[in-house]
Amino acid sequence: MSPVPALATGPGRTARRAVTGGPARACLALAVAGFRRTTSYRLAALAGIVANLTFGYLRGAVLLAVAGASAVASSGYAASSLMTYNWLTQAAIGPLALWGTAELSERVRTGDVAVDLARPLGLLPTYLAQDLGRAGAAALLRGLPTLLVGGLTVGIVLPLAPGPWVLGAVSIVLGLVLSFLARFLLQLTSFWIVETRGLQTLYMVASGFFTGLVFPLALMPSWLQTMARSTPFPAMLQDPVDVLSARATGAAAWELVGTQVLWVLAVTVLARVVLAAGTRRLVVQGG
């Protein structure tokens, strides 16, 4: 899916107007701006719903076809839990933006990032606030309709107890933040590499596979599960879905959320280090 076009005024204009009320107010204003910008593309949202439903039915049929296999049964997945997993992950595609974005890379290429860096609010919180607003709009416009239609036509099983919903909501937010941080870190490579589309393609393939979007990680061979777990990708999608669907409960659910927190902290530190290095090396291109 193509990224939503950037506003001509740049991401820092809203923050500059709101910064007089403090960083929290500026971040809120940016989140609202990101939400409004995404909701203005309603036809794109409709196309996204159609794509999500189409591939959701196709993937669901494949998962149902293998539901009776011994390897699937030993993983703890039944047909109903596979369908629940299928539609929860399909609904998450839009908010998570697993296929990456290129707005920051483009601003580095044109030199506009120099203006962003001179603004009061930092580059990372500016883009994070905007992305959370975008994710909220995508959840309402694409995620919720996909989940409702898929659930009504195929059937999904969600927990009735409030615990998985509350902890699942926390896990979802952590997954969204981690997805943003990974994409932000990827775009920071544009300080050194002018053309980043190759890296973005690699990220798209890796994220689609290791997040569990293609199929649950429990269906992978043990060595591949270990490889996936050594990356932050499962914490973006697989873990939030496991917590929300109550596949992981009690101490296991809290362990998954704790792992998400650690990944968020680690990638945040790495992103700040790379951003500082990129800023020192910045050479404005094109003026």
Side-chain angles (χ1 to χ4, degrees):
M1 185 184 73
S2 300
V4 177
L7 293 176
T9 54
R13 179 69 62 85
T14 305
R16 187 173 60 184
R17 289 200 300 264
V19 77
T20 55
R25 183 177 175 182
C27 288
L28 178 60
L30 285 164
V32 171
F35 184 93
R36 288 177 175 173
R37 183 172 66 179
T38 303
T39 54
S40 65
Y41 295 90
R42 294 182 178 86
L43 286 178
L46 179 60
I49 294 172
V50 173
N52 284 355
L53 290 173
T54 301
F55 287 101
Y57 287 124
L58 290 173
R59 188 174 64 149
V62 172
L63 290 174
L64 283 177
V66 302
S70 58
V72 177
S74 64
S75 70
Y77 279 100
S80 59
S81 55
L82 281 174
M83 288 303 95
T84 302
Y85 186 89
N86 177 55
W87 290 109
L88 284 175
T89 51
Q90 285 297 123
I93 291 176
L96 283 176
L98 290 176
W99 288 295
T101 51
E103 180 177 341
L104 178 56
S105 296
E106 181 62 21
R107 292 183 70 79
V108 172
R109 188 187 68 80
T110 60
D112 292 339
V113 71
V115 179
D116 298 338
L117 291 169
R119 287 169 175 153
L121 197 62
L123 200 65
L124 195 154
T126 294
Y127 278 89
L128 174 59
Q130 279 193 317
D131 194 71
L132 289 178
R134 176 208 58 77
L140 288 176
L141 292 178
R142 288 186 57 179
L144 188 58
T146 297
L147 188 60
L148 288 175
V149 174
L152 290 174
T153 55
V154 177
I156 60 175
V157 179
L158 292 173
L160 298 177
W165 288 94
V166 175
L167 192 58
V170 174
S171 185
I172 288 170
V173 172
L174 289 170
L176 291 172
V177 172
L178 185 56
S179 175
F180 160 78
L181 289 170
R183 288 181 279 114
F184 183 80
L185 185 59
L186 176 67
Q187 292 185 82
L188 289 180
T189 60
S190 57
F191 281 109
W192 292 270
I193 306 171
V194 176
E195 181 53 73
T196 60
R197 282 181 294 185
L199 287 175
Q200 290 181 2
T201 300
L202 236 111
Y203 178 86
M204 179 183 70
V205 174
S207 64
F209 193 70
F210 288 129
T211 57
L213 178 62
V214 178
F215 50 81
L217 298 185
L219 304 187
M220 293 181 177
S222 57
W223 65 269
L224 199 52
Q225 290 186 48
T226 302
M227 181 185 296
R229 287 292 175 185
S230 66
T231 72
F233 290 122
M236 299 178 191
L237 181 61
Q238 174 79 63
D239 295 349
V241 169
D242 284 350
V243 173
L244 182 61
S245 63
R247 176 175 167 81
T249 57
W254 282 103
E255 183 179 349
L256 291 180
V257 173
T259 302
Q260 287 183 285
V261 172
L262 291 176
W263 274 119
V264 166
L265 293 176
V267 181
T268 298
V269 171
L270 181 59
R272 288 194 174 278
V273 169
V274 174
L275 177 60
T279 302
R280 287 194 298 270
R281 190 184 186 281
L282 178 64
V283 176
V284 178
Q285 301 181 35

